[in-house]
Amino acid sequence: MSRRALRRLRGEQRGQEEPGGPDEIEEEEEPLQPEPRNRKIKGNRKLLEERGLSNPFQLITEPDEDLHSDPDTGQMAQSRLTDEEETNGQDKPENEPIDTVLTKTTSSNKSKKKKKKKKAKKSADGQLDGSVEGGDELGDIDSILERIESTNGHVHQIQNSSNADNRALLYVEHRNLNPETELKKFFGSRAVMGDQRPRQRQRLQHRSTWLTSPKNTWPRYSKTGISMRLLETKRGVQYFTFEHQRDYQQVQFKFLDAVESMDPNNIVLLLQMNPYHVDSLLQLSDVCRLQEDQEMARDLIERALYSLECAFHPVFSLTSGTCRLDYCRQENRGFFLALFKHIMFLEKRGCLRTALEFCKLVLSLDPENDPLCMLLLVDYLALRAREYLFLIRIFDEWEAHRNLSQLPNFAFSVPLALFHYSQQEEVTEQEQVTTDDRASHLLQQALIMFPGVLIPLLDACGVQPDSAVASHPFFGAVAQLSQPAALSQLTSLYIGRCHGVWKDPSVMSWFEQNVRKVLHMVAQSDPLVKECELRRKTRYQSAPRNIHRHVILSEIKGANAALPLDVTSQPVLSFDPLPPLDSVVSYTRPER
């Protein structure tokens, strides 16, 4: 029975009854007392049905609307007000004047309108402050970030497009710096973190860092005397340097005395007194590695990185790609060398994605000079980690001003990355054809530019070359003997490091097809063959010092044998191999 029919029935009953019977009315009204609550529930359900909602909590998120301003909802709002008047009419006395009722309804409507105006004003202020909806969210977030950066006083904006591309290209993600993240993908978190979970509460003495995870077996960290200073900011790039305090300088002098003594025990004694001295950790790590104690060698490198990260400047960022360190300063070299050796240990553990991220980090510290020549390593790590798009991108963006195609590793690795990318399932057929053509074209150019790579690469892969190829003068022994010494060093480094990525049967079949096409081009006397021969004779007279430093640190046998005599005849210190000729010395060792 509806509400109006029930009231009409009650009115008829009141008219039939005598004035002296209030008890019967009360008895009839008693079961109707909980009815207003049911009416509220029915009213709420009706409101939800009118708005097309199923959950009453969705009413909270809906914006308030003016009930009288919308012509479409005016009738619905009027019916709602009528229902409220009827509901309130039961509680008020029957002889209440209509003026008081109108006063109450108008006052309640005015208060509702005031609340709606306040909410609309707040939402408008919020939109002026930067709060947005929908598609404008990203643009306003960028403007807010620019405002925050400008108020901090540290300019991170990059003014030209090339610097912006470099920043995006060398951007480092924190989560990819942790090798445990990569190991969990292979073996699961229970296998990786199973033994470490009960010990998490005991790591209160070490601060949290990004480069390494401090271990409970390490000595308690205290200030070592290393600090970092911001030198200057130019065009959105910040230049930092490490500094050695006087106490650390005294420890450094003792370390040099221990190195000259040729006794590793003296370095061990020095580390017992100064457990976070960086150069001592680097030197002792090499001693442990030569003694086949790989675990201790890796642990010492991680401890050196932890010591250096604890000394970072508050503004120094590992991920932005805009923070620079000068390798010519003696205090900064320990950080470069520790990162390089850490990459080598990560590669041996199979954490190739993490090693690639650290390689990007080292490259971002000084991309112009590249003191450790990370460009000779980044292609190998990208192929092993299956980051083909990153390798293709760095080649496309840096080829114009860095001539990456003149390095044998990029000349051969980029077409291999294109070939692997074209074989992926998400690539469309049209894109696959285009990528295959480009990969084949680049590989043919690489074979014409560096013909001395083919036969040694096939030998390293265990593939017997065809007799027509092995006896051909373009690829035979004459090509290997006629190339300059610097080029022989680069090709030996590439073959010794990257021959494993060419062993796939599908890759070798594609490689063979392009070799035959190159032989056809040579037979046709293609002008590109003569042009590349002139380039080989003029561009590879001598290798720069950073390439020699990279070869020494990599310890690849074939490449070490190709080092020139002026490098092998001088002593090489593992904590500072081949220091730059224009080194910046901030303090000197006193005379003994």
Side-chain angles (χ1 to χ4, degrees):
M1 182 179 294
S2 67
R3 215 165 35 242
R4 294 181 181 177
L6 185 61
R7 290 182 69 250
R8 192 175 301 164
L9 180 62
R10 288 177 57 193
E12 292 175 357
Q13 289 178 356
R14 285 176 184 169
Q16 293 174 3
E17 289 173 355
E18 295 179 0
D23 296 336
E24 295 180 3
I25 297 175
E26 289 178 2
E27 289 176 1
E28 290 177 359
E29 289 179 355
E30 280 180 1
L32 298 176
Q33 286 179 359
E35 190 173 341
R37 183 177 178 184
N38 296 333
R39 290 174 184 172
K40 278 187 179 181
I41 295 174
K42 292 180 180 179
N44 291 338
R45 291 177 180 173
K46 183 178 180 182
L47 182 60
L48 289 173
E49 292 176 358
E50 290 172 350
R51 296 201 179 187
L53 302 175
S54 60
N55 188 355
F57 290 101
Q58 295 178 356
L59 291 171
I60 301 175
T61 59
E62 284 199 345
D64 294 332
E65 298 176 355
D66 195 352
L67 298 175
H68 298 282
S69 61
D70 192 355
D72 297 333
T73 58
Q75 186 176 0
M76 179 178 67
Q78 189 65 30
S79 64
R80 244 183 264 140
L81 289 174
T82 307
D83 293 341
E84 289 176 4
E85 289 177 6
E86 292 174 355
T87 306
N88 295 331
Q90 292 182 1
D91 299 330
K92 70 179 181 62
E94 293 180 359
N95 56 357
E96 185 176 0
I98 192 68
D99 295 336
T100 59
V101 177
L102 292 174
T103 304
K104 288 182 180 179
T105 54
T106 52
S107 62
S108 62
N109 290 336
K110 287 181 181 179
S111 62
K112 288 181 180 178
K113 288 181 180 180
K114 288 181 180 179
K115 291 180 181 178
K116 290 169 188 172
K117 288 179 181 179
K118 289 181 180 178
K119 289 181 180 179
K121 187 177 181 181
K122 287 182 180 178
S123 62
D125 295 340
Q127 289 182 359
L128 290 175
D129 290 340
S131 60
V132 292
E133 294 179 4
D136 298 337
E137 187 174 358
L138 295 175
D140 283 347
I141 288 175
D142 292 338
S143 63
I144 292 170
L145 290 176
E146 290 176 1
R147 246 182 288 160
I148 292 173
E149 290 171 356
S150 61
T151 54
N152 286 339
H154 302 289
V155 181
H156 297 287
Q157 298 177 5
I158 304 204
Q159 300 184 3
N160 53 29
S161 60
S162 62
N163 288 340
D165 293 341
N166 292 344
R167 178 185 179 185
L169 182 65
L170 300 178
Y171 181 78
V172 178
E173 296 184 15
H174 276 143
R175 62 186 180 90
N176 290 330
L177 293 176
N178 189 0
E180 293 179 355
T181 304
E182 188 171 4
L183 291 174
K184 287 176 185 177
K185 295 179 181 179
F186 298 139
F187 307 107
S189 59
R190 182 171 299 180
V192 176
M193 303 293 294
D195 297 336
Q196 301 180 14
R197 284 176 180 172
R199 303 178 185 176
Q200 290 293 329
R201 298 180 181 178
Q202 302 175 9
R203 277 179 44 187
L204 299 177
Q205 59 180 351
H206 297 294
R207 56 177 288 187
S208 177
T209 53
W210 291 110
L211 297 178
T212 57
S213 299
K215 301 177 182 178
N216 298 324
T217 57
W218 290 357
R220 180 181 292 272
Y221 178 81
S222 59
K223 290 186 178 180
T224 59
I226 303 179
S227 60
M228 181 181 277
R229 180 166 61 94
L230 175 62
L231 296 176
E232 58 181 350
T233 301
K234 289 183 179 179
R235 297 179 180 179
V237 179
Q238 298 169 311
Y239 295 87
F240 295 86
T241 182
F242 284 100
E243 290 183 337
H244 293 171
Q245 307 300 328
R246 181 170 298 179
D247 295 340
Y248 194 89
Q249 294 178 13
Q250 299 299 322
V251 178
Q252 185 73 12
F253 298 150
K254 293 179 182 179
F255 165 73
L256 295 177
D257 294 338
V259 171
E260 290 179 356
S261 68
M262 305 295 290
D263 187 1
N265 294 322
N266 293 332
I267 301 178
V268 174
L269 294 175
L270 183 63
L271 279 176
Q272 289 178 357
M273 300 298 296
N274 305 275
Y276 289 95
H277 183 256
V278 176
D279 287 348
S280 298
L281 293 169
L282 295 176
Q283 186 75 23
L284 190 60
S285 173
D286 283 350
V287 174
C288 294
R289 186 171 49 82
L290 294 175
Q291 295 176 355
E292 301 297 332
D293 192 354
Q294 300 291 334
E295 188 67 24
M296 178 58 68
R298 179 167 59 88
D299 186 78
L300 293 172
I301 294 297
E302 291 180 359
R303 202 197 301 181
L305 288 175
Y306 177 75
S307 174
L308 290 166
E309 187 173 1
C310 290
F312 279 176
H313 192 278
V315 185
F316 186 81
S317 173
L318 294 171
T319 61
S320 64
T322 59
C323 296
R324 303 285 186 264
L325 284 175
D326 188 4
Y327 191 82
C328 292
R329 292 182 177 269
Q330 182 181 359
E331 297 88 343
N332 297 337
R333 293 173 200 162
F335 188 52
F336 281 90
L337 296 172
L339 287 172
F340 189 93
K341 295 182 179 183
H342 188 55
I343 291 171
M344 295 294 103
F345 284 115
L346 289 172
E347 190 266 333
K348 291 178 181 178
R349 294 175 63 191
C351 301
L352 300 165
R353 182 66 182 86
T354 310
L356 176 62
E357 208 71 14
F358 272 95
C359 186
K360 291 163 58 178
L361 171 60
V362 179
L363 191 58
S364 69
L365 295 176
D366 194 356
E368 290 80 13
N369 300 316
D370 194 11
L372 299 185
C373 210
M374 303 305 294
L375 288 176
L376 298 178
L377 177 64
V378 66
D379 63 299
Y380 168 71
L381 295 176
L383 287 174
R384 291 288 308 277
R386 300 182 180 180
E387 293 291 329
Y388 307 123
L389 290 178
F390 169 74
L391 181 56
I392 297 169
R393 182 183 175 190
I394 192 174
F395 178 78
D396 292 339
E397 294 185 8
W398 284 13
E399 168 63 16
H401 64 282
R402 299 293 289 269
N403 289 328
L404 297 182
S405 60
Q406 303 305 307
L407 294 173
N409 60 313
F410 268 93
F412 283 90
S413 294
V414 171
L416 183 59
L418 287 167
F419 174 78
H420 283 301
Y421 176 70
S422 66
Q423 304 300 315
Q424 295 181 352
E425 297 179 355
E426 60 269 15
V427 180
T428 61
E429 293 183 1
Q430 183 178 1
E431 187 179 3
Q432 182 178 3
V433 173
T434 306
T435 308
D436 275 336
D437 293 341
R438 187 189 177 193
S440 299
H441 177 68
L442 290 177
L443 182 58
Q444 293 167 20
Q445 286 185 339
L447 288 169
I448 294 174
M449 184 66 192
F450 308 105
V453 175
L454 177 62
I455 302 300
L457 180 59
L458 294 177
D459 292 341
C461 295
V463 177
Q464 183 67 29
D466 188 74
S467 59
V469 176
S471 61
H472 199 282
F474 187 76
F475 289 119
V478 178
Q480 301 176 35
L481 295 174
S482 61
Q483 62 185 4
L487 182 56
S488 299
Q489 183 179 344
L490 291 174
T491 56
S492 300
L493 180 67
Y494 177 72
I495 294 169
R497 174 178 285 156
C498 300
H499 66 273
V501 299
W502 292 90
K503 290 184 177 181
D504 187 81
S506 60
V507 172
M508 195 57 65
S509 175
W510 168 70
F511 193 32
E512 181 184 0
Q513 295 173 8
N514 287 279
V515 169
R516 296 190 181 280
K517 291 181 181 179
V518 169
L519 288 177
H520 180 70
M521 295 173 65
V522 173
Q524 296 293 328
S525 299
D526 194 292
L528 182 62
V529 178
K530 284 290 184 182
E531 182 182 349
C532 291
E533 184 178 356
L534 292 176
R535 290 180 187 174
R536 286 196 301 272
K537 293 179 179 179
T538 56
R539 294 187 177 182
Y540 300 96
Q541 298 298 325
S542 61
R545 198 172 180 85
N546 61 341
I547 292 181
H548 296 157
R549 193 180 297 120
H550 178 90
V551 171
I552 293 173
L553 291 172
S554 300
E555 297 184 351
I556 295 176
K557 295 180 180 180
N560 282 331
L563 285 172
L565 185 61
D566 59 340
V567 175
T568 57
S569 60
Q570 59 179 325
V572 177
L573 302 174
S574 59
F575 67 92
D576 190 9
L578 297 181
L581 300 177
D582 55 346
S583 297
V584 178
V585 180
S586 57
Y587 63 94
T588 57
R589 183 183 179 188
E591 296 181 1
R592 298 182 61 180

